Amino acid sequence: MKKAIINISFLIIILFTLIGIINNPKLSLESGYSGLLTWFNIIVPSLLPFFMISEILKNIGFVDLIGKFLKPFMKYFFNVPGNSAFPFSMSIASGYPMGAKIVADLRMNNTLTKIEAERTICFASTSGPLFMLGAVSIGMLNNPSIAPIIIYPHYLGAISVGIILSFYKREIRPAKNVKENFNVISSFFSNIKKDFSIGYILNNSVRNSLNAITIIGGFIIFYSVLTELLFASKAFNKFIELLIYTIPIKINIEAIKGFIAGIIELTTGCKLISSANIPLYYKIILINFLIGWSGFSIHSQVLSFINNTDIDSKIYIFSKLLHGLLSSIYGFLFYIIKYKSLVEPSFMPKYQGINLIHFNAWPVLLFSSCKIALISNIYLLILSLISAIINPLSSRD
């Protein structure tokens, strides 16, 4: 029965989109073009290096290496194996949906059990600092000084979700491994594979990365069209007016539209909220929730990756709702404790959209993404080595 309701709802959405495209061909074309530009100018050069580097590192045994070193740390805080540190760190560096894609791959390779993958995907699916700092704080809100009140609550929310859901199905325990005393150097060389084919790994990483980036592009274009058609429909605008009349408190109509749009598509919602005529700290609280929630567009991307696994999508959706709520709460606390003097009522931002394909910006963004991906993995390796050295020393005491 539940599946039938979901399928019927999906059919209604598709029919609504089709009718909207027929009735508003120009709007559909413009919104689809806008989504295409966003994908080509930002998503492809930003995420493609992360996808390729993560594929290469997984194939040469890097994930197993850091998993062995970071096992005590990840087990203590999140009740997951050390391998889960890799999708978490890559997600923090690159953003949605990188972490979920890696978790799905690790589950398909049986590196993570079903329960471990479900716990990991709940905290290892985050936005990236480039989006929160560059697009939101600077581009939309026109105030880089408030970036910490957006970035810190988001990552604190993800960590809190991971700690809370470490109790998820805690009674189910994986088979215990025999405790072993290992030397850091010998363990390093034993975990890195030496018999891999460079040609095969490069071919495999490029193919898988292009497939993933194409799927993401399709979802971005679809939800860009769907969101614009929704705002153009008379029924939706009547619903918003009825909602405002029903709610006893006075609420800005643009903020309501932006919040609903953000539930569907993150960037569109943040853009509308940033230009709404409401105080800046209200904007930050709403935007923090939307970034944690991530929107149905990103949910669809994640579900397309975990579709071939046995990861429960319901626990993922619940974790994103919890992430959004915690991010808003942390954002409010940061505002009260430290950033109240910086956050003043503001109605100035007007986000400038992308209107053209920018080939000149591609090399810069591509190089920056490659540099961030490599640096983040170097830091992760250093942290793993430090953990491997400290853990045996502490266990002797």
Side-chain angles (χ1 to χ4, degrees):
M1 183 65 182
K2 188 184 293 185
K3 190 172 183 181
I5 294 173
I6 294 173
N7 290 340
I8 291 171
S9 302
F10 177 73
L11 179 61
I12 292 172
I13 292 172
I14 296 300
L15 290 175
F16 168 80
T17 307
L18 181 60
I19 294 170
I21 291 173
I22 294 172
N23 291 335
N24 301 280
K26 185 178 179 182
L27 177 64
S28 303
L29 185 63
E30 290 175 351
S31 57
Y33 180 64
S34 175
L36 177 64
L37 291 178
T38 300
W39 174 75
F40 185 84
N41 286 326
I42 299 174
I43 303 301
V44 175
S46 296
L47 284 185
L48 190 59
F50 283 94
F51 280 127
M52 293 179 64
I53 290 173
S54 67
E55 287 284 342
I56 293 171
L57 292 176
K58 281 184 293 181
N59 280 288
I60 66 174
F62 180 80
V63 179
D64 295 329
L65 173 68
I66 64 166
K68 193 169 186 179
F69 290 164
L70 289 176
K71 180 180 177 181
F73 176 83
M74 298 300 292
K75 189 71 178 175
Y76 181 80
F77 286 101
F78 304 113
N79 195 24
V80 293
N83 307 72
S84 298
F86 182 66
F88 184 44
S89 63
M90 291 296 280
S91 182
I92 289 175
S94 62
Y96 298 118
M98 187 72 228
K101 169 68 167 58
I102 298 174
V103 172
D105 291 341
L106 294 178
R107 176 60 192 135
M108 290 178 69
N109 296 335
N110 285 321
T111 304
L112 299 175
T113 66
K114 179 181 183 296
I115 303 301
E116 290 169 348
E118 288 172 351
R119 289 175 187 152
T120 302
I121 202 171
C122 291
F123 69 88
S125 181
T126 67
S127 182
L130 291 179
F131 174 76
M132 291 184 280
L133 174 61
V136 177
S137 300
I138 298 175
M140 298 180 190
L141 296 174
N142 196 25
N143 191 348
S145 63
I146 63 170
I149 204 174
I150 295 175
I151 294 175
Y152 294 156
H154 181 75
Y155 292 132
L156 280 174
I159 293 170
S160 299
V161 168
I163 294 173
I164 292 170
L165 292 180
S166 66
F167 297 95
Y168 169 69
K169 294 187 178 179
R170 204 177 182 93
E171 69 279 3
I172 302 176
R173 298 180 182 275
K176 291 184 178 180
N177 297 323
V178 179
K179 188 175 180 180
E180 51 182 342
N181 295 319
F182 59 90
N183 180 271
V184 174
I185 298 176
S186 63
S187 183
F188 180 89
F189 287 105
S190 64
N191 279 274
I192 295 295
K193 298 176 182 177
K194 306 174 187 65
D195 56 348
F196 59 83
S197 168
I198 296 176
Y200 171 79
I201 287 181
L202 289 176
N203 177 66
N204 194 51
S205 65
V206 170
R207 183 177 65 250
N208 292 341
S209 299
L210 288 176
N211 286 341
I213 212 78
T214 304
I215 291 171
I216 292 171
F219 280 117
I220 289 174
I221 294 170
F222 173 75
Y223 278 97
S224 296
V225 174
L226 179 63
T227 306
E228 291 299 327
L229 291 176
L230 185 66
F231 281 113
S233 67
K234 294 180 180 179
F236 176 76
N237 288 293
K238 289 290 183 183
F239 169 75
I240 293 295
E241 291 176 6
L242 180 64
L243 186 65
I244 290 188
Y245 283 125
T246 305
I247 298 175
I249 57 176
K250 186 178 179 181
I251 301 178
N252 183 276
I253 188 169
E254 294 302 319
I256 290 287
K257 285 184 176 181
F259 185 76
I260 294 175
I263 295 294
I264 300 171
E265 207 285 314
L266 174 60
T267 307
T268 303
C270 292
K271 183 166 57 175
L272 290 173
I273 289 174
S274 69
S275 58
N277 191 19
I278 58 175
L280 186 55
Y281 57 89
Y282 286 156
K283 296 179 184 180
I284 292 171
I285 291 172
L286 291 174
I287 286 173
N288 278 352
F289 174 83
L290 293 180
I291 296 175
W293 164 251
S294 75
F296 285 121
S297 175
I298 291 172
H299 292 342
S300 299
Q301 297 168 29
V302 171
L303 295 181
S304 71
F305 294 135
I306 68 174
N307 185 49
N308 295 325
T309 70
D310 55 359
I311 297 174
D312 189 352
S313 59
K314 294 189 290 296
I315 187 65
Y316 169 75
I317 300 295
F318 169 75
S319 72
K320 296 315 297 173
L321 177 62
L322 183 60
H323 188 183
L325 291 172
L326 290 174
S327 297
S328 291
I329 293 171
Y330 286 140
F332 179 73
L333 292 176
F334 269 68
Y335 162 72
I336 293 294
I337 295 170
K338 186 174 181 181
Y339 293 93
K340 196 169 185 178
S341 60
L342 291 176
V343 182
E344 299 174 355
S346 170
F347 320 110
M348 62 181 178
K350 283 194 176 179
Y351 180 66
Q352 300 297 321
I354 303 167
N355 300 316
L356 297 170
I357 291 177
H358 299 294
F359 289 103
N360 294 335
W362 247 69
V364 177
L365 197 53
L366 192 68
F367 176 76
S368 298
S369 299
C370 289
K371 185 169 68 172
I372 293 172
L374 291 172
I375 290 174
S376 61
N377 280 288
I378 290 171
Y379 282 148
L380 185 61
L381 178 60
I382 293 171
L383 178 62
S384 303
L385 293 173
I386 294 172
S387 175
I389 295 169
I390 292 175
N391 189 54
L393 293 176
S394 60
S395 62
R396 291 173 189 171
D397 298 334

